Amino acid sequence: MNSIRLVALATLVAACGAPTKKPTPPAPSPAPEVPAPQPEQPKPISPVPTAAELPGAAATLRGPERPIANAYRDLVAKILAQGAQGQGAYAKLAYLTDHIGNRVAGSRALAQAVAWAQKTLAAEGHEQVHSEKVMVSYWQRGDLSLQVLAPAPQSLHATALGLSPGTGKNGITAEVVVVDSFDALTKLGPAGVKGKIVLFNHEMPAYTSEHGSGYGEASGYRVKGPAAAAKLGAVAALTRSATARSLRTPHTGMTLFDAEAGDRAIPAAAVAVEDALLIARLAAEGPVKLKLVLTAKDHGKVPSANVIAELRGREQPDEIVLLGAHLDSWDVGQGAQDDGAGVTIMMEALSILRRGGWQPRRTIRVVLYTNEEHGIDGAIAYGKDHAAELPKHVAAIESDGGSFKPVGLSIEGKAEGPAYSRLLDLVTLLEPLGATKVSAGHSGSDLIPLAAAGVPCLGHLTDGSTYFDYHHTEADTLDKVDPVYLQQNAAMMAAVAYVLADMPERLDAQ
Ligand SMILES: [Zn+2]
């Protein structure tokens, strides 16, 4: 496991993370019938203005301090207005979710999604449409049963964590010990943990617009908790689902056992928030005996692929603005918000520019990554296979936070420097969508290798107040996606990509 991969895996908690549909065996890429038929026009979930109703960019923003906005205001207004029309993004997402379904690495569905994406991108007239082979982890969830044997026998709601080993058919029966933090685990020490099942009952705080979701910290228990419990002699680990709001649905996601660091892999599962609270209440009264049976299995690496398409630049086609999202999902729900939405936003963004005849100076390249969810295999492969070309990547944007009301962009790193300043100028163009926020920090898991190579990396921000309610659960389904916001997000990405690819200087020029 190289250092990028380790950093990458640790950082995965920032974005993504899956429950219980039977995975299918690895398969060669079949070619399903595509592209999507136009679905019935769904009603938006929330009333939002159509593009025609959106106000124009405010004249008050004009001024010498905003050279990018001043140069592109009229064109961006056109891209946003035309791009936000129709439901091209939703038609694609409806096919991906309803006809292909969830797409975990190694599954036949992911191979179908790779073939569908390629065919659809080619049918929409893009250039350089192809796939690039990537070896990905193939892990099967199998079945899970978690029961309280004593003092009050009952079944609990749980699902395996990605890459967890199985328990064997007889399962693991042991007393549970409940902790709410890594410090509390450390205090218990081997004497309090050896031979037991550890439950990390860490509460994820509610979303606030000021602080965001709290997912980063909460998911740390899912990613690193089981390995930490194993070090002290635990026989299995449970983590409270990383969500602030629960309807007794467990949230899966990856857990990390680093064999090179000497981690011992133990069976690990996420329990629904309600079940974590139940176990904690019973354990406060006295000893609680649990039985966990888990048939998860790791099949090693199998072939998959990243899918690539381009709108070639008119003057400097060797320079690239990359639009990224991940084609895989967990093996639960439909992978609609995570990350079918991002995939179809980026596909549609390219098509909006193609349909409008808007060809920027540089090339815009869509990369639909494989296996972000348990190992960012596609991102690592892209970084290696395109290493010589990375200095020509002038910017990269990832959409992997769901599609809700457009909010703005994040930028990898600190709130300073030329790229940050130019971004503050650029986002004023998105005022018609109300998407003028810029936050410094993380961009996207699939961009980690690009950020490490010095490429300016941006993340697509939408209203994240409900994203983690559905994230990595059976509830991540198409009906959670508002078709109007989805198309607005595609228009936003088209506009941002166009400007980044066309402006005379690179985003990060000194
Ligand atoms: Zn994701």
Side-chain angles (χ1 to χ4, degrees):
M1 203 170 266
N2 63 37
S3 58
I4 281 194
R5 190 175 167 95
L6 270 178
V7 172
L9 289 171
T11 314
L12 262 178
V13 300
C16 283
T20 1
K21 204 194 146 207
K22 285 196 180 71
T24 46
S29 299
E33 290 307 313
V34 282
Q38 290 290 322
E40 285 187 28
Q41 300 291 298
K43 291 211 167 61
I45 292 166
S46 42
V48 290
T50 64
E53 294 164 338
L54 292 169
T60 53
L61 295 175
R62 290 179 192 274
E65 73 282 12
R66 295 203 172 94
I68 297 171
N70 290 341
Y72 289 98
R73 180 167 294 106
D74 294 343
L75 181 58
V76 163
K78 263 189 215 161
I79 295 173
L80 293 180
Q82 286 188 36
Q85 300 296 323
Q87 298 199 336
Y90 193 84
K92 294 180 187 70
L93 184 59
Y95 189 86
L96 181 63
T97 53
D98 286 349
H99 291 259
I100 297 176
N102 65 47
R103 310 165 294 282
V104 76
S107 66
R108 177 175 290 273
L110 181 56
Q112 286 175 335
V114 165
W116 164 81
Q118 238 180 293
K119 265 187 137 171
T120 305
L121 287 161
E124 297 192 354
H126 302 307
E127 296 145 280
Q128 309 289 331
V129 178
H130 66 285
S131 59
E132 297 183 353
K133 184 178 169 185
V134 179
M135 297 302 287
V136 297
S137 300
Y138 176 42
W139 171 85
Q140 278 186 304
R141 175 173 306 282
D143 298 319
L144 176 142
S145 141
L146 177 63
Q147 291 177 298
V148 178
L149 297 185
Q154 55 195 296
S155 290
L156 302 177
H157 297 78
T159 192
L161 293 183
L163 301 182
S164 166
T167 58
K169 68 178 185 323
N170 295 327
I172 290 171
T173 300
E175 192 179 319
V176 66
V177 57
V178 182
V179 296
D180 61 4
S181 68
F182 285 114
D183 282 348
L185 179 76
T186 305
K187 273 187 197 136
L188 283 175
V193 173
K194 193 161 191 285
K196 300 207 168 129
I197 297 173
V198 171
L199 166 64
F200 291 92
N201 183 31
H202 180 83
E203 182 180 358
M204 178 164 143
Y207 176 94
T208 64
S209 52
E210 194 186 354
H211 296 111
S213 70
Y215 176 75
E217 191 202 358
S219 61
Y221 288 90
R222 186 194 75 219
V223 176
K224 298 174 184 167
K231 274 200 177 79
L232 297 178
V235 291
L238 303 172
T239 62
R240 171 169 161 159
S241 289
T243 183
R245 211 164 5 212
S246 180
L247 293 175
R248 216 173 186 181
T249 308
H251 295 232
T252 192
M254 194 198 70
T255 194
L256 181 59
F257 298 106
D258 184 355
E260 287 181 18
D263 285 352
R264 185 170 61 88
I266 57 173
V271 291
V273 169
E274 292 88 336
D275 296 273
L277 293 169
L278 167 62
I279 295 169
R281 287 194 300 269
L282 291 175
E285 295 170 7
V288 177
K289 192 184 274 190
L290 299 181
K291 181 177 184 183
L292 174 67
V293 185
L294 181 52
T295 63
K297 208 170 170 191
D298 188 350
H299 298 276
K301 295 276 188 178
V302 298
S304 180
N306 292 332
V307 176
I308 292 175
E310 291 181 350
L311 192 169
R312 298 289 290 173
R314 64 172 198 274
E315 285 178 21
Q316 290 153 249
D318 58 330
E319 294 194 349
I320 293 154
V321 170
L322 184 150
L323 299 182
H326 66 88
L327 204 44
D328 68 300
S329 71
W330 279 106
D331 52 343
V332 295
Q334 294 185 309
Q337 291 284 14
D338 187 11
D339 184 24
V343 162
T344 52
I345 285 168
M346 295 315 202
M347 292 171 78
E348 181 69 5
L350 206 62
S351 294
I352 288 168
L353 296 175
R354 178 81 57 192
R355 289 197 297 269
W358 293 302
Q359 183 185 19
R361 194 185 307 266
R362 305 181 185 85
T363 292
I364 299 174
R365 177 182 292 172
V366 168
V367 181
L368 306 179
Y369 292 98
T370 189
N371 196 23
E372 186 268 358
E373 293 292 4
H374 53 89
I376 63 166
D377 288 322
I380 292 169
Y382 184 89
K384 274 188 194 153
D385 296 348
H386 294 265
E389 204 187 20
L390 293 187
K392 296 278 192 184
H393 284 57
V394 302
I397 315 174
E398 179 154 20
S399 183
D400 186 18
S403 175
F404 302 90
K405 186 179 186 317
V407 165
L409 292 162
S410 63
I411 181 165
E412 191 81 32
K414 293 187 180 153
E416 59 189 31
Y420 180 75
S421 299
R422 287 194 183 89
L423 191 60
L424 290 178
D425 176 354
L426 192 161
V427 294
T428 63
L429 291 165
L430 304 174
E431 182 153 280
L433 296 174
T436 56
K437 179 176 174 177
V438 173
S439 68
H442 183 60
S443 54
S445 304
D446 288 312
L447 301 185
I448 290 168
L450 300 183
V455 177
C457 289
L458 311 177
H460 175 209
L461 297 178
T462 69
D463 172 9
S465 57
T466 60
Y467 179 64
F468 289 105
D469 300 358
Y470 319 120
H471 183 248
H472 297 181
T473 73
E474 292 289 358
D476 182 4
T477 48
L478 180 64
D479 49 284
K480 311 302 189 307
V481 180
D482 184 317
V484 173
Y485 285 151
L486 190 70
Q487 195 66 26
Q488 287 184 357
N489 282 314
M492 171 184 166
M493 286 297 116
V496 173
Y498 184 92
V499 175
L500 289 171
D502 195 71
M503 58 197 219
E505 291 181 318
R506 295 168 58 131
L507 183 68
D508 62 349
Q510 293 296 319

